[in-house]
Amino acid sequence: MNSPGTELEAWLAGGDLFEESLADTEQWVAGFDADRQVVQLKLGPYKKLYLRPKKFVKRFYHHIHPLTIESWQYRRQLHMFDDFCTVDLALDLRFQATLAYVLKNSEMLSTINQHIKQLYAEIIDDVVNLELQALADGNWIQTGLIDIEKRIALAINQMLMQQQIQSQALCSLTASFNEFPNVQLGRDSVYLNVLKKTFELNEERTRELARQQRMLEQEELLEKRRQLEHLQRVSDLELQIQAQEAEKQRRLLEDKQEQLVQQLELERRLYAEQLRHENELKEMRLEAELIGQEKQSARQRLTESQQLSDQLAHQAVLHEKKVLADIRLQQRTKSLWEDNGAEDETGSDHAQQ
C-alpha cells in the first residue's frame, strides 16, 4: 500500500489510484454446457438418469430434460454511517445444474432451476451479509470495493460448486455519498478519506456528547433512584407503622372478642342457673300442689269414709231396730197364736162337756 503522502501527490496530479487493482482481475471458469440434457429412462419399475450422449436414439421409454443455464439477478442496498453513505449491490448470477445434483434431487427434475433458487436464496443472503460486514471499518473508502466484489462472487461460486452446481457470479458494488454526489470512489479516495476522518471526528464528538448526555441522564436517574429509595423507605416505615397499628387493633379486637365470649359464657351460665332455679321452683310448686292435692284427697277420702261409717252405723241401727221389731212382731204373733190356741182348746173342752 502506498504511503499517504505519495497517494495525496498522485491524487493531486490526477492519477488513477486503482489502475493496478483494475488490472489484476481474476476469472472464474464456470464450464457451462448449453446443450446439456438429462435422459430419464423409465421401463416398468426400472428407472435411470444419465447425460444424453452424442449419438442418442430416443425410444418410447426415454424422456429428455434439458438442463438450461438460468440467470438470477440479486439486488441489495446498504445504508452506512448514519445514512452518510449508501452502497448498492448488484449480483448477476448464471447457474446450471449438473448430473450429480440432479441425481440427488431427481424428484425436482422438471423444476430444477426454480428449486435451486428457492433452496439457496437464504444461503446467498448469508454469504452476502458476511462479506458486507467488512464494510463497517470504512477502510474500503481508501482501498475501493473491488476486492469485496471479488470475494462475494468467489464465495457464491464456491458455495454452489460444493453443491454440484456450476455458476458464474458477477458482483458490482456502487457507493454514493448523500452530501457529496460528485465524489467518485477510488479516484477521490484521499478526499473521501478526509471526509471519513471528518465524519469520524464528528461521530466521536457526537459520541462524546451522547456519553455526557448519558452521564447526565445516569446522574438524574441516580438522583431519582435515591429519591425513590427515600420514598420507598418512608413508605416502608409508614407501612410498618400501619402494620403495627393494624396489629394493635387486631389484638384489641381479639381482646374484645375474648371478653365478649367470656361475657356470653357468663350470661349463658347465669341464664342456665336462672332456668335451673325456676325449674326447681316449678318442681317445688308442683310438689306442693301434689302434696296439697294428696292431703285434700286424703281428707276427702277420710270424710267419705266417715260418712260411709256413719251411714253404715245408721243402717246398722235401723237394721237392728228392724230386727228387733221383727222379733217383737214374731213374738207378738207367736203370743197371739198361742193365745188363740188356748182359747180353742178351752172351747172344745166346754163342748165336750
Side-chain angles (χ1 to χ4, degrees), residues 200-215:
E200 290 175 351
L201 291 174
N202 292 333
E203 192 177 27
E204 181 66 25
R205 188 180 299 109
T206 302
R207 284 197 297 268
E208 179 63 22
L209 291 175
R211 186 185 66 83
Q212 295 177 2
Q213 182 66 25
R214 285 196 301 272
M215 290 182 63

PDB file of all heavy atoms in Angstrom, residues 200-215:
ATOM      1  N   GLU A 200     -15.564  10.804  11.217  1.00  0.00           N
ATOM      2  CA  GLU A 200     -15.193  10.106  12.440  1.00  0.00           C
ATOM      3  C   GLU A 200     -15.053  11.074  13.600  1.00  0.00           C
ATOM      4  O   GLU A 200     -15.472  10.778  14.734  1.00  0.00           O
ATOM      5  CB  GLU A 200     -13.896   9.333  12.229  1.00  0.00           C
ATOM      6  CG  GLU A 200     -14.049   8.123  11.306  1.00  0.00           C
ATOM      7  CD  GLU A 200     -12.715   7.449  11.036  1.00  0.00           C
ATOM      8  OE1 GLU A 200     -11.675   8.027  11.434  1.00  0.00           O
ATOM      9  OE2 GLU A 200     -12.711   6.356  10.429  1.00  0.00           O
ATOM     10  N   LEU A 201     -14.456  12.283  13.309  1.00  0.00           N
ATOM     11  CA  LEU A 201     -14.351  13.285  14.378  1.00  0.00           C
ATOM     12  C   LEU A 201     -15.734  13.738  14.826  1.00  0.00           C
ATOM     13  O   LEU A 201     -16.002  13.867  16.032  1.00  0.00           O
ATOM     14  CB  LEU A 201     -13.522  14.486  13.895  1.00  0.00           C
ATOM     15  CG  LEU A 201     -12.016  14.228  13.671  1.00  0.00           C
ATOM     16  CD1 LEU A 201     -11.345  15.456  13.065  1.00  0.00           C
ATOM     17  CD2 LEU A 201     -11.339  13.852  14.992  1.00  0.00           C
ATOM     18  N   ASN A 202     -16.583  14.019  13.837  1.00  0.00           N
ATOM     19  CA  ASN A 202     -17.944  14.414  14.196  1.00  0.00           C
ATOM     20  C   ASN A 202     -18.666  13.300  14.959  1.00  0.00           C
ATOM     21  O   ASN A 202     -19.406  13.558  15.911  1.00  0.00           O
ATOM     22  CB  ASN A 202     -18.743  14.765  12.942  1.00  0.00           C
ATOM     23  CG  ASN A 202     -18.225  16.040  12.281  1.00  0.00           C
ATOM     24  OD1 ASN A 202     -17.653  16.912  12.956  1.00  0.00           O
ATOM     25  ND2 ASN A 202     -18.407  16.147  10.973  1.00  0.00           N
ATOM     26  N   GLU A 203     -18.416  12.083  14.483  1.00  0.00           N
ATOM     27  CA  GLU A 203     -19.038  10.963  15.167  1.00  0.00           C
ATOM     28  C   GLU A 203     -18.498  10.806  16.587  1.00  0.00           C
ATOM     29  O   GLU A 203     -19.250  10.531  17.529  1.00  0.00           O
ATOM     30  CB  GLU A 203     -18.808   9.679  14.374  1.00  0.00           C
ATOM     31  CG  GLU A 203     -19.640   8.502  14.845  1.00  0.00           C
ATOM     32  CD  GLU A 203     -19.420   7.274  13.981  1.00  0.00           C
ATOM     33  OE1 GLU A 203     -18.320   7.163  13.403  1.00  0.00           O
ATOM     34  OE2 GLU A 203     -20.335   6.442  13.880  1.00  0.00           O
ATOM     35  N   GLU A 204     -17.148  11.041  16.723  1.00  0.00           N
ATOM     36  CA  GLU A 204     -16.550  10.978  18.053  1.00  0.00           C
ATOM     37  C   GLU A 204     -17.111  12.071  18.950  1.00  0.00           C
ATOM     38  O   GLU A 204     -17.417  11.843  20.124  1.00  0.00           O
ATOM     39  CB  GLU A 204     -15.025  11.116  17.946  1.00  0.00           C
ATOM     40  CG  GLU A 204     -14.301  11.031  19.275  1.00  0.00           C
ATOM     41  CD  GLU A 204     -14.422   9.655  19.910  1.00  0.00           C
ATOM     42  OE1 GLU A 204     -14.622   8.681  19.173  1.00  0.00           O
ATOM     43  OE2 GLU A 204     -14.310   9.577  21.152  1.00  0.00           O
ATOM     44  N   ARG A 205     -17.260  13.278  18.350  1.00  0.00           N
ATOM     45  CA  ARG A 205     -17.848  14.378  19.121  1.00  0.00           C
ATOM     46  C   ARG A 205     -19.300  14.046  19.493  1.00  0.00           C
ATOM     47  O   ARG A 205     -19.722  14.305  20.616  1.00  0.00           O
ATOM     48  CB  ARG A 205     -17.795  15.675  18.292  1.00  0.00           C
ATOM     49  CG  ARG A 205     -18.200  16.912  19.102  1.00  0.00           C
ATOM     50  CD  ARG A 205     -18.127  18.174  18.259  1.00  0.00           C
ATOM     51  NE  ARG A 205     -16.762  18.409  17.786  1.00  0.00           N
ATOM     52  CZ  ARG A 205     -16.353  18.273  16.530  1.00  0.00           C
ATOM     53  NH1 ARG A 205     -17.226  17.893  15.591  1.00  0.00           N
ATOM     54  NH2 ARG A 205     -15.097  18.483  16.189  1.00  0.00           N
ATOM     55  N   THR A 206     -20.007  13.457  18.536  1.00  0.00           N
ATOM     56  CA  THR A 206     -21.390  13.063  18.830  1.00  0.00           C
ATOM     57  C   THR A 206     -21.438  12.005  19.919  1.00  0.00           C
ATOM     58  O   THR A 206     -22.283  12.054  20.822  1.00  0.00           O
ATOM     59  CB  THR A 206     -22.062  12.522  17.562  1.00  0.00           C
ATOM     60  OG1 THR A 206     -22.010  13.531  16.542  1.00  0.00           O
ATOM     61  CG2 THR A 206     -23.512  12.147  17.823  1.00  0.00           C
ATOM     62  N   ARG A 207     -20.501  11.041  19.835  1.00  0.00           N
ATOM     63  CA  ARG A 207     -20.450  10.012  20.869  1.00  0.00           C
ATOM     64  C   ARG A 207     -20.120  10.606  22.230  1.00  0.00           C
ATOM     65  O   ARG A 207     -20.680  10.206  23.251  1.00  0.00           O
ATOM     66  CB  ARG A 207     -19.426   8.936  20.495  1.00  0.00           C
ATOM     67  CG  ARG A 207     -19.910   7.983  19.416  1.00  0.00           C
ATOM     68  CD  ARG A 207     -19.063   6.724  19.395  1.00  0.00           C
ATOM     69  NE  ARG A 207     -17.677   7.002  19.054  1.00  0.00           N
ATOM     70  CZ  ARG A 207     -17.189   6.975  17.807  1.00  0.00           C
ATOM     71  NH1 ARG A 207     -17.990   6.665  16.796  1.00  0.00           N
ATOM     72  NH2 ARG A 207     -15.923   7.238  17.565  1.00  0.00           N
ATOM     73  N   GLU A 208     -19.187  11.613  22.229  1.00  0.00           N
ATOM     74  CA  GLU A 208     -18.829  12.254  23.491  1.00  0.00           C
ATOM     75  C   GLU A 208     -20.021  13.002  24.071  1.00  0.00           C
ATOM     76  O   GLU A 208     -20.296  12.922  25.284  1.00  0.00           O
ATOM     77  CB  GLU A 208     -17.648  13.218  23.284  1.00  0.00           C
ATOM     78  CG  GLU A 208     -17.210  13.961  24.537  1.00  0.00           C
ATOM     79  CD  GLU A 208     -16.688  13.029  25.621  1.00  0.00           C
ATOM     80  OE1 GLU A 208     -16.275  11.905  25.297  1.00  0.00           O
ATOM     81  OE2 GLU A 208     -16.704  13.450  26.797  1.00  0.00           O
ATOM     82  N   LEU A 209     -20.717  13.741  23.181  1.00  0.00           N
ATOM     83  CA  LEU A 209     -21.917  14.436  23.661  1.00  0.00           C
ATOM     84  C   LEU A 209     -22.958  13.431  24.157  1.00  0.00           C
ATOM     85  O   LEU A 209     -23.617  13.666  25.178  1.00  0.00           O
ATOM     86  CB  LEU A 209     -22.504  15.296  22.533  1.00  0.00           C
ATOM     87  CG  LEU A 209     -21.668  16.517  22.109  1.00  0.00           C
ATOM     88  CD1 LEU A 209     -22.311  17.198  20.905  1.00  0.00           C
ATOM     89  CD2 LEU A 209     -21.523  17.501  23.266  1.00  0.00           C
ATOM     90  N   ALA A 210     -23.071  12.333  23.406  1.00  0.00           N
ATOM     91  CA  ALA A 210     -24.017  11.304  23.839  1.00  0.00           C
ATOM     92  C   ALA A 210     -23.594  10.698  25.170  1.00  0.00           C
ATOM     93  O   ALA A 210     -24.441  10.416  26.032  1.00  0.00           O
ATOM     94  CB  ALA A 210     -24.136  10.221  22.767  1.00  0.00           C
ATOM     95  N   ARG A 211     -22.245  10.514  25.307  1.00  0.00           N
ATOM     96  CA  ARG A 211     -21.749   9.967  26.581  1.00  0.00           C
ATOM     97  C   ARG A 211     -22.032  10.919  27.737  1.00  0.00           C
ATOM     98  O   ARG A 211     -22.482  10.502  28.816  1.00  0.00           O
ATOM     99  CB  ARG A 211     -20.246   9.701  26.472  1.00  0.00           C
ATOM    100  CG  ARG A 211     -19.652   8.988  27.685  1.00  0.00           C
ATOM    101  CD  ARG A 211     -18.143   8.875  27.555  1.00  0.00           C
ATOM    102  NE  ARG A 211     -17.527  10.196  27.610  1.00  0.00           N
ATOM    103  CZ  ARG A 211     -17.258  10.839  28.742  1.00  0.00           C
ATOM    104  NH1 ARG A 211     -17.555  10.284  29.914  1.00  0.00           N
ATOM    105  NH2 ARG A 211     -16.684  12.021  28.732  1.00  0.00           N
ATOM    106  N   GLN A 212     -21.755  12.224  27.490  1.00  0.00           N
ATOM    107  CA  GLN A 212     -22.052  13.205  28.529  1.00  0.00           C
ATOM    108  C   GLN A 212     -23.549  13.237  28.838  1.00  0.00           C
ATOM    109  O   GLN A 212     -23.954  13.351  30.002  1.00  0.00           O
ATOM    110  CB  GLN A 212     -21.551  14.591  28.107  1.00  0.00           C
ATOM    111  CG  GLN A 212     -20.033  14.688  27.984  1.00  0.00           C
ATOM    112  CD  GLN A 212     -19.585  16.044  27.495  1.00  0.00           C
ATOM    113  OE1 GLN A 212     -20.399  16.937  27.273  1.00  0.00           O
ATOM    114  NE2 GLN A 212     -18.268  16.212  27.318  1.00  0.00           N
ATOM    115  N   GLN A 213     -24.342  13.171  27.755  1.00  0.00           N
ATOM    116  CA  GLN A 213     -25.793  13.159  27.962  1.00  0.00           C
ATOM    117  C   GLN A 213     -26.209  11.931  28.758  1.00  0.00           C
ATOM    118  O   GLN A 213     -27.057  12.010  29.664  1.00  0.00           O
ATOM    119  CB  GLN A 213     -26.506  13.194  26.608  1.00  0.00           C
ATOM    120  CG  GLN A 213     -28.023  13.245  26.706  1.00  0.00           C
ATOM    121  CD  GLN A 213     -28.533  14.533  27.315  1.00  0.00           C
ATOM    122  OE1 GLN A 213     -27.847  15.560  27.248  1.00  0.00           O
ATOM    123  NE2 GLN A 213     -29.710  14.481  27.912  1.00  0.00           N
ATOM    124  N   ARG A 214     -25.569  10.798  28.432  1.00  0.00           N
ATOM    125  CA  ARG A 214     -25.891   9.583  29.185  1.00  0.00           C
ATOM    126  C   ARG A 214     -25.468   9.715  30.642  1.00  0.00           C
ATOM    127  O   ARG A 214     -26.179   9.237  31.538  1.00  0.00           O
ATOM    128  CB  ARG A 214     -25.204   8.374  28.544  1.00  0.00           C
ATOM    129  CG  ARG A 214     -25.856   7.894  27.252  1.00  0.00           C
ATOM    130  CD  ARG A 214     -25.396   6.503  26.893  1.00  0.00           C
ATOM    131  NE  ARG A 214     -23.954   6.431  26.730  1.00  0.00           N
ATOM    132  CZ  ARG A 214     -23.306   6.667  25.597  1.00  0.00           C
ATOM    133  NH1 ARG A 214     -24.002   6.976  24.496  1.00  0.00           N
ATOM    134  NH2 ARG A 214     -21.993   6.590  25.525  1.00  0.00           N
ATOM    135  N   MET A 215     -24.289  10.369  30.855  1.00  0.00           N
ATOM    136  CA  MET A 215     -23.851  10.561  32.241  1.00  0.00           C
ATOM    137  C   MET A 215     -24.833  11.433  33.002  1.00  0.00           C
ATOM    138  O   MET A 215     -25.169  11.148  34.159  1.00  0.00           O
ATOM    139  CB  MET A 215     -22.454  11.188  32.260  1.00  0.00           C
ATOM    140  CG  MET A 215     -21.350  10.253  31.789  1.00  0.00           C
ATOM    141  SD  MET A 215     -19.717  11.007  31.869  1.00  0.00           S
ATOM    142  CE  MET A 215     -19.558  11.298  33.629  1.00  0.00           C
TER     143      MET A 215
END
